[in-house]
Amino acid sequence: MLCLLLGFSDPAIAKSGQQNRRVRGTVLSITDNTPLEGASVRIQGRGRSTITNSAGEFSLNGVRPNDILVIAHLGYTTQEYRLSGTQQVRILLVPSAEDLEEVVVVGYGTIAKSDFTGSSSRADMEGVEENRFTSPLEALQGRMAGVQVITNTGEAGGGITFNVRGVTSMSGGRPLIVVDGQPIESEYGATQAGMDLEATMTAIPMDPLAGLNPADIESIEVLKDASSIAIYGSRGADGVVLITTKSGRAGKDRISYTSRLDYNTMPKYLDVLNSREYMLRTNEARENMGLTPTYTEEQIENPEVDVNWQREVLQNRYSHNQQLTVSGRDDRTRYMLSGNFSDQNSMIKNRGFDRYSLRANYQRNVSDKFIVSLNANMAMMNRQFGLQSNAGAIPNSSVVMTSLMWAPNRRAYDEEGEIDDQFANNPLLISEIVKDHSRVRQTTANATLRYNFNRNLWYTLKVGVNDNYTLRNVYHPRGTLAGDAANGVAVRGDNWNTNYLVDNLLNFNKVLYKKHRINAVGGFSYQFWDYKSSSMTARDFPSDALGYYNFRIANAPGIMRTVYQERALQSVLARGNYAYDRRYLLTLTGRADGSSRLAAGRKWGSFYSLGLGWNLHNESFFKADFVNELKLRGSYGVTGMERIAIGATQATFTYNMVNVGDVIIPGYVQSDFDNPYPTWESTTQANVGMDVELWKNRLAFSVDLYRKRTTDLLHNLQLPPSATYSSYPVNMGEVLNEGIDIEGNLSDILRGKSPVKWNAGFNLSVLRNEMVHVGVLEALYGQHYFAGGGMLLGQPVHTAVPGGPLPSFWGYKTNGIYQNADEIAAGPEASTARPGDVRWVDVNGDGQITDDDKTIIGNPFPDFTYGFNTNLAYKRFTLSMAFMGSQGNQLLNMNSWILEANSITNAFTSTSRAYEGAWRGEGTSNKYPRLTNDSPRLSGRFPDWMVEDASFFRMQSLVLGYTFHLPQYLGASSLRAYVSGTNLFTITKYSGLDPAINAFGHSVLNSGVDLGTLPQPRTYSVGFEWTF
Amino acid sequence: MDILIIKLLIKMKKITIFFTGLALMWMAAACSLDERILDTPGPVQVTSDQELLPLINGLYSRFNDANAFKFRGWLMLTLCADDFYSVAANEFQPFANRTYGGPNVSHFYNSLYLAVGAANQLIGILDKVGDKLTPELVSRAYGEAYFVRAFSYYYLVRLYGGVPLRISPVNADSDMYLPRASIHEVYEQIFADFREASLRLPQASELPVSELGRATKGAAQAIVAQAYLTYGNQRSLRGMDPTQQYEEAVLFADSVIHSGQYQLIPNYADIFDINKEVDAYKEVIFGIRFQADPMAILLGSAGSEYAFRFGNSNTHFVSGNANNGQGDGSVRPMHWMADYYLNHNDYVHPTQGIRDYRHEVTFVTRGYNSTNDRYVVPYPFLPTTQENPIVFPLLAKYQDPNGRDHRNNGNDFFVIRFSEMYFILVEALNELHGGPTYNYKGQQLFWWFNRVRARAQLADGTSRNRPFLINNSNSPGMTQDEFRMRIFHERGLELLGEGQRWFDLVRMRHPSDPTKTMYEYQLVEELTKSTYPKDAPTYTRSSNSYSNSFYVYEPSLNVSVPKHLLFPIPIEEMVRNPNFGEQNPRW
């Protein structure tokens, strides 16, 4: 935040209102008040100009009131200054981004980049609104080293997996998000409404940051190492993201209107069977099992119905985004007002996401000493949710899953052209008649009072509120599975999360005796959260006409469930940064946090870090002129995490309904026992890095090596059923993340004289994640999939074992298909297997296939990820491109469990490759088994071949723009028009719809699954920006 | 550096005081870090009698869950024996075809342990706060906790073998990873708990209708009688002396029989009449209560789904199914079992024909299809020309036309009925004293056995002479082994579809081999014979007859012994409990 940027004007010393007077002034650097020599000063639009002398002074004749001075100096941001009768001016220039004195946004302040000992990445968000990115996090994909961003699904506003330097924690690993100094709610629960819902009603979480309009954001700084994070103590272990929103720029007030039209297309459809193939398959399976065929030859050869459900339900859609911004700045006030409307239609019919947001950023220098500011964002979002992944139950209510798996010989429409409601969960019915609407209201506002005791010391009081309200309404009418059973069922759930923040900070910034530069901050912080939610399910409606609008008419109006919880965090924090002669750097940081959620006596934790740096290029012995910067730095420190359930340390009950006498009443059952032990999870991180800038900044890069050790992992440990409790919070286990982050930029590659300006950026991350130990256990396991029904799997497919990553995929190894009786006789399933069955590997060699043969069959971690982007400007043309990729990551293709197991139970279809590749006699196949009607399918064993290589290379964005200069009389100063593409192509071997998704991204231990997950759309956009 | 700041602060005088004051004010607003839980009850809140009641109700609340007796546990009890089958897919097929594994059988295990946990926790709370509450209430609460714990372990030990024995409330210092106990240890705990329970629980006659479903003294005694008999069987199969256990079984069964609390309801049909369910509890000693649930649906409801599962798609108005109240026919009695009522090889008797009129109550004799306004007649009954046949039998014991939805009906699950007390008494005495002519309290075992048959003769409310009463004159020289077989079959006829058959198969002794079980006899030897055809009978309208009888559903014979004598230990227990020990044999 360049909040120091001020142009102080001295009192007028000459008469005003006269024409053609002389103006005199001084140009100074804002960082240390040194005079700037050689700055050019010209009068805008009049061609008169001059240059400052060695004392930074200038003078110009013939100025008029209201003339605008334009002051430029190499390495500083060009500034405009409106004269208002003043004859003597003093102008402070701010170092430009390319300058050595660039500042880095850090926790509770800024620091000169040359003095920074930590490791962070910065993304300039200029122009992100020209691509289809709903959430600011999406725009970070592939942009930073060590920062993994995966859009969990292709749903606009959907959840996003966001990891900084690996996965440290079992409980989610969401980095702390700080917007304009205010930590905001970024947990998935923030926008989830409705409790204890049936599986058909549970919605996967949306992105809690979707309320932030990317176009309002100036830059995003991701803090990665202990030196930069420790100031956030207990909240920093998973990384800290500092978001700085835009504010007015100097010069005249600016109004801009931006409009973008998107065409979102399905990047791919799965190749599934047509009706004829489907019927042949059914008959073949039945024949294999000695059963009579279901379909006659006549039916097969002349199918009455042949539906491609994917194309019925998943469609290309138009979306658009509108934005109006007014901003400005003068010597005492800066402001920005922006309004945004983003209407994103999902590729699922009738589903989508839209956002209305309003931001007001305002700052006023009441006096030289007293500054007030307000940053407020209000967002309203509508989410029409189309159920996707659903691990627990029969996946029939998932509109994506049903469209993938539904048999092609069931008709979509009846004779009258109406959607056929004769079978429940016709995917079209689900998308047409199920209503699932969430409205989310988010307010983030903070007011800051700053008092400058002098230029070096100031006090800041920040008071903020972050209020998130979600109201979800669902109605399943008759014609759906849930609706038929209940004669219509409606759910109304809300969730109101509010948190309040008070920060008291004292900052000190001074150069002492020329060589000792001190930048220090200390303070207290208090944050309080409350969570209120309620949920009600009503059933048995006389008619579907009123949907969820009237619960009173339901014959079974339901019981209201409520949650009312609160928690608090108190903190004391301090950081001191000391630079000696711009050569030797030291940063000491400490924070103590007290959390209400932890056990009594263990509530307070202390966190600290040490950072050291050496600016080699400032040493006298350093002679290489082409090196502008060479900094070596290192840091070490401890941060924490306290993310456990409220009340987890106390004995509590939950309830379960019971029949006693002739009533159904809640019986209290145990849910938690007294647990005096939970305390902080702590992450110790060491980082060594190097920053290099060469050839006047033409090439800049940094390399970081880190090692993060997280101990006392705080998580809800799953207990064996015989413990009589399902889980309890423990501090157990240790995770290691180590890796290399490389980031670089090439600026002005073709040198200043070329008409073509060309910049490029690149990054590479290598990460190794290891679960070092898991406490008393041998391993941890993920959730169970398909608890019932014909697809029953009923077991976890994720594990975390010592020495392996967190998590690994867990299942059975296979070795092709049994081709003949001899092979079976020699194998471990001699009495049960038949030719054409999967040949499971007897891993433990005990002569039989049992649960003990389950083993690790892959993991979701890439070997490395990378990204690069490039910007070209030629005259008024601009062209920018961004690419990203991931190598060596795997996805567990859970769709295969339904579509490729070659079992016809439940009458679901199959992929063509599984059907065509089915075993049909010796030597015909060594991967896909023979067709059967087996239940459980594949003997209830999850095979290794359903884990697939999901390495990919993606062209993430392309923008081609042209700026028109408009004649004055149009009133507009410029018009920029562009065409852009988002997710234009993906090169991958992965057989599913999208290799870069993560169905259960909100749960670390269940990472890397594709299960009825909507792919990222391929988007083509056109847009313009009209600036006045 | 800090000193520097403080010095600067001191210089700042008034404005400093103002801001410091403001800062302190905000700090003061920062209240304590004590955790307040506002919306969740905790044990600390149990301070009065009234607050104890939800905890007592909680003891029973796991049993009517979909994971337990409502659906998944019930499937284990029902489909894994020799008397029911299923051609439905999904969760039915693995049990009907004996292809189930750890994932299929985990739900019931979890539910039973959750009930154990509720019982342990209530005992812990009573130990702490019991002296502040009414002593009678506390005593009864202890009794119910002991009962529920014993009841849960009794199902666990029979289904899964020796399991970890957790008998104290869990806290953060508990050993979460207990090894499996032997079945002997588990049974000893069961006996001790039931005995403690029986000392504290009220008699059935003291239980108001509003508390129906809660444990009574009789329930504890009846189930412990069966448990002693079962454990005696298990000892006997292992070559250990079962005498003491059989004696205890006799003692408790006799105690219930002579308690005056229960009776055999005169009309066998009334036991299963949903409209007379409360009255049925004169005979039902303990049951899992279900009611059509207006607040929840399907799997999550507090209603049962037996009516839907045993009913059929063309018999209407048997369940709460929105679609004409029809069933789905996913669980069907085996044909051979239905035929057995008609033609069983009871004893050599000159007359042919119906052997047991209980079949008229046990099976659907005639159903109505409202779509085509026709009556349907399931096997083995024969339709008239106006009626359509259903080629398989349908169980008639569970029907509730007033259910809320198909998986949400009012039929209870009867855990133990008074008629079984006679069977337990007779079986234990037969094992102890070697035959049906043994004289107990002035009557031969035949006489005690015939108590149930005499009532069966009233199956339609009027007395008829089938099933025959057996006695020394029509069954002379009946041996101990023969009488055991007779008891086994009689249990099957009386209790069909009531969740006992699988337990009977795996506990009772093979008629000729003392080391084998009835399971091996029935499923490996008897039903595999050619007298039990493996092709389903077909109906011929012209002759109004079925092509064959005594059909056995072949996939149910896919058995492996000893593997199928116990269910596998569920995967959650095996992977999360490093100390558990060995999996069950062959799993």
Side-chain angles (χ1 to χ4, degrees), chain A residues 298-365:
Chain A
E298 166 64 21
Q299 283 174 310
I300 292 169
E301 290 313 315
N302 300 300
E304 281 175 31
V305 180
D306 196 349
V307 182
N308 185 329
W309 288 106
Q310 292 176 72
R311 287 180 190 273
E312 293 291 336
V313 176
L314 304 177
Q315 300 182 336
N316 301 339
R317 306 277 293 279
Y318 284 99
S319 298
H320 68 101
N321 185 65
Q322 312 295 341
Q323 164 108 10
L324 182 66
T325 310
V326 183
S327 64
R329 168 171 200 174
D330 59 22
D331 56 356
R332 288 176 67 181
T333 303
R334 66 190 298 194
Y335 75 98
M336 190 212 42
L337 297 171
S338 88
N340 168 256
F341 170 47
S342 183
D343 178 7
Q344 289 292 321
N345 286 311
S346 170
M347 288 170 299
I348 303 172
K349 240 180 169 176
N350 297 313
R351 307 293 160 185
F353 175 87
D354 56 50
R355 173 185 58 219
Y356 304 80
S357 75
L358 203 56
R359 172 170 286 280
N361 285 352
Y362 174 83
Q363 181 183 311
R364 170 83 179 167
N365 300 345

Side-chain angles (χ1 to χ4, degrees), chain A residues 853-876:
Chain A
D853 293 308
K854 290 179 83 169
T855 185
I856 286 168
I857 53 173
N859 75 70
F861 287 92
D863 300 329
F864 61 92
T865 56
Y866 54 95
F868 62 90
N869 57 73
T870 176
N871 300 299
L872 281 162
Y874 172 71
K875 295 187 173 168
R876 296 180 191 170

Side-chain angles (χ1 to χ4, degrees), chain A residues 459 539 556 563-564 566 570 596 603 647 653 656 659 661-662 665 668 670 677 719 721-722 789-790 792 935, chain B residues 19 31 33 35-36 39 41 54 61 64-65 90-91 93 104 110 121 166 173 212 289 291 294 302 573 576:
Chain A
Y459 163 81
R539 301 173 206 284
V563 170
Y564 201 117
E566 47 186 48
Q570 282 179 25
S596 68
K603 288 183 186 295
F653 294 128
N656 198 27
N659 295 275
D662 53 2
I665 46 173
Y668 284 179
Q670 74 283 3
Y677 301 120
L719 287 170
S722 66
L792 176 78
S935 173
Chain B
F19 276 113
C31 54
L33 290 173
E35 180 144 58
R36 294 197 303 154
D39 60 352
S61 70
N64 61 341
D65 284 355
N90 298 356
E91 279 137 300
Q93 207 187 346
N104 304 81
N110 296 354
Q121 195 183 38
R166 186 170 296 281
D173 297 314
L212 218 54
R289 296 233 70 193
Q291 282 161 86
E573 187 70 44
R576 292 182 198 156

Side-chain angles (χ1 to χ4, degrees), chain B residues 276-420:
Chain B
K276 300 177 181 170
E277 207 167 52
V278 169
D279 290 333
Y281 277 82
K282 288 175 182 148
E283 171 163 344
V284 177
I285 301 172
F286 187 70
I288 309 296
R289 296 233 70 193
F290 288 95
Q291 282 161 86
D293 185 344
M295 295 303 179
I297 56 162
L298 304 177
L299 223 59
S301 71
S304 63
E305 53 188 273
Y306 316 134
F308 176 65
R309 298 305 180 188
F310 287 124
N312 195 48
S313 58
N314 46 8
T315 57
H316 294 173
F317 313 122
V318 296
S319 77
N321 193 347
N323 198 359
N324 291 329
Q326 68 189 15
D328 79 340
S330 52
V331 179
R332 305 168 180 173
M334 281 207 209
H335 293 68
W336 82 266
M337 192 72 213
D339 290 327
Y340 194 80
Y341 281 80
L342 308 178
N343 305 313
H344 61 73
N345 188 18
D346 193 347
Y347 55 91
V348 183
H349 192 275
T351 53
Q352 293 300 311
I354 308 291
R355 299 295 175 104
D356 194 330
Y357 285 122
R358 271 177 296 199
H359 81 300
E360 293 172 353
V361 172
T362 305
F363 301 103
V364 175
T365 53
R366 197 160 174 259
Y368 177 63
N369 184 318
S370 63
T371 311
N372 55 14
D373 191 24
R374 277 230 175 168
Y375 284 91
V376 288
V377 175
Y379 185 93
F381 306 101
L382 292 166
T384 66
T385 49
Q386 304 303 314
E387 296 168 339
N388 289 331
I390 296 176
V391 296
F392 43 83
L394 294 175
L395 193 76
K397 286 182 171 178
Y398 304 93
Q399 296 185 2
D400 182 10
N402 299 317
R404 300 284 303 203
D405 64 63
H406 55 289
R407 308 184 80 165
N408 191 359
N409 303 296
N411 310 89
D412 288 5
F413 180 88
F414 298 148
V415 171
I416 198 155
R417 288 199 276 119
F418 189 54
S419 55
E420 203 184 337

Side-chain angles (χ1 to χ4, degrees), chain B residues 102-123:
Chain B
N104 304 81
V105 302
S106 63
H107 309 89
F108 203 16
Y109 184 92
N110 296 354
S111 291
L112 291 166
Y113 264 113
L114 287 171
V116 168
N120 286 337
Q121 195 183 38
L122 179 56
I123 291 168

Side-chain angles (χ1 to χ4, degrees), chain B residues 58 177 199 228 293 492 508 561 574:
Chain B
Y177 310 104
L199 297 175
Y228 271 116
D293 185 344
M508 292 180 81
V561 174
M574 295 305 293

Side-chain angles (χ1 to χ4, degrees), chain A residues 916-982:
Chain A
E916 283 155 15
W919 188 88
R920 293 185 172 87
E922 198 162 339
T924 50
S925 166
N926 210 22
K927 178 170 179 186
Y928 297 107
R930 73 199 169 108
L931 293 158
T932 67
N933 69 343
D934 278 352
S935 173
R937 48 188 58 206
L938 300 182
S939 309
R941 297 171 190 148
F942 193 84
D944 53 3
W945 49 264
M946 289 185 186
V947 172
E948 295 187 45
D949 179 3
S951 301
F952 69 92
F953 174 74
R954 171 170 288 178
M955 184 169 193
Q956 179 73 352
S957 75
L958 169 74
V959 183
L960 175 63
Y962 183 81
T963 306
F964 299 90
H965 277 206
L966 300 176
Q968 280 290 315
Y969 61 82
L970 281 176
S973 58
S974 75
L975 173 69
R976 174 173 158 82
Y978 60 87
V979 291
S980 75
T982 310

